[in-house]
Amino acid sequence: MATMKRTKALCSPRHAQSFRCFAFAWIGFEQAHPVLMVVGYIVLTSEAILVFRGVHGTKSYKKAVHLTIQGLGFWMAVFGIWAALRFHNAKGIDNFYSLHSWLGITTVLLFGLQWICAYAIYWYPGAAGKTRTSVLPWHVFMGLIIYCMALGTAETGLLEKLTFLMMNKVIGRFSLEALFVNSIGLLLIVYGALVILASTLPKAT
């Protein structure tokens, strides 16, 4: 409640065009969706993908870290969707009508299914060694596909948010806020490309 009051105070007409208003609108509890999905979901998923390249320890330890971080990222995504639904319902905005929402729901559902299958095959109860070896390429392939879908969902979300703000005359086309959002979109693409590159390059011998 205190956060909401502070956000409203900073986003008064006097500050409607300020960058500070824009930032507080994003980090308020009712609009925590982009922060949870980008900082929580995508960043945590990226770290989990790179566990087998950058974490030292036994194979079991790496698998445990990978599963734990992925699981935390999944629940970040679930909470992020809940935050978006709560905000939409409070404002009377329709749900699940845009490409962004369809991509998001599909991505999170596939991510959850991927996590459950990986847990059952590679952790508990665990499949036979031959089965785990044959499934691994498909697990990696689907993991990267889902990761790319998450990046695409984030890009469409940034575009959707920016379009709404411009249509409602909250920000201008060439405002600092617009440049900020566009920069985040470009950085996400570069960040995702580097993660995929690092995960697919041959391991150093």
Side-chain angles (χ1 to χ4, degrees):
M1 184 64 68
T3 301
M4 292 177 63
K5 290 181 179 179
R6 184 177 61 200
T7 301
K8 290 180 180 178
L10 288 172
C11 292
S12 61
R14 180 182 176 184
H15 300 89
Q17 300 297 326
S18 70
F19 181 81
R20 184 170 60 175
C21 168
F22 180 80
F24 270 89
W26 268 41
I27 64 175
F29 179 77
E30 294 294 339
Q31 296 188 9
H33 175 74
V35 176
L36 288 168
M37 302 308 280
V38 175
V39 178
Y41 181 51
I42 291 180
V43 172
L44 285 177
T45 301
S46 301
E47 294 299 318
I49 290 174
L50 299 176
V51 161
F52 292 98
R53 297 298 181 113
V55 174
H56 299 288
T58 64
K59 194 171 184 179
S60 295
Y61 175 74
K62 291 179 181 180
K63 285 194 294 185
V65 174
H66 179 74
L67 278 169
T68 301
I69 298 177
Q70 293 282 43
L72 183 58
F74 173 76
W75 286 110
M76 283 281 195
V78 170
F79 186 69
I81 292 175
W82 173 79
L85 291 175
R86 175 170 175 172
F87 175 72
H88 284 185
N89 293 335
K91 298 293 183 179
I93 302 173
D94 293 332
N95 294 308
F96 307 121
Y97 66 91
S98 65
L99 175 63
H100 169 67
S101 59
W102 284 31
L103 275 173
I105 290 297
T106 303
T107 301
V108 173
L109 289 177
L110 287 176
F111 185 88
L113 181 61
Q114 169 96 336
W115 192 93
I116 292 172
C117 291
Y119 185 89
I121 294 172
Y122 295 105
W123 193 255
Y124 183 83
K130 186 177 180 179
T131 301
R132 285 184 292 179
T133 301
S134 62
V135 170
L136 183 59
W138 292 102
H139 174 71
V140 174
F141 171 74
M142 284 304 302
L144 291 178
I145 290 294
I146 294 170
Y147 181 70
C148 289
M149 290 177 64
L151 291 172
T153 303
E155 296 291 344
T156 56
L158 291 172
L159 178 61
E160 185 178 288
K161 182 69 175 181
L162 193 59
T163 302
F164 287 159
L165 291 173
M166 289 180 179
M167 288 178 60
N168 292 322
K169 307 298 183 182
V170 177
I171 62 174
R173 293 182 178 179
F174 301 101
S175 62
L176 180 61
E177 295 86 351
L179 295 176
F180 176 70
V181 174
N182 287 338
S183 298
I184 290 178
L186 290 176
L187 287 174
L188 277 176
I189 293 175
V190 174
Y191 178 68
L194 291 175
V195 170
I196 293 172
L197 177 64
S199 66
T200 54
L201 285 175
K203 291 183 179 180
T205 57

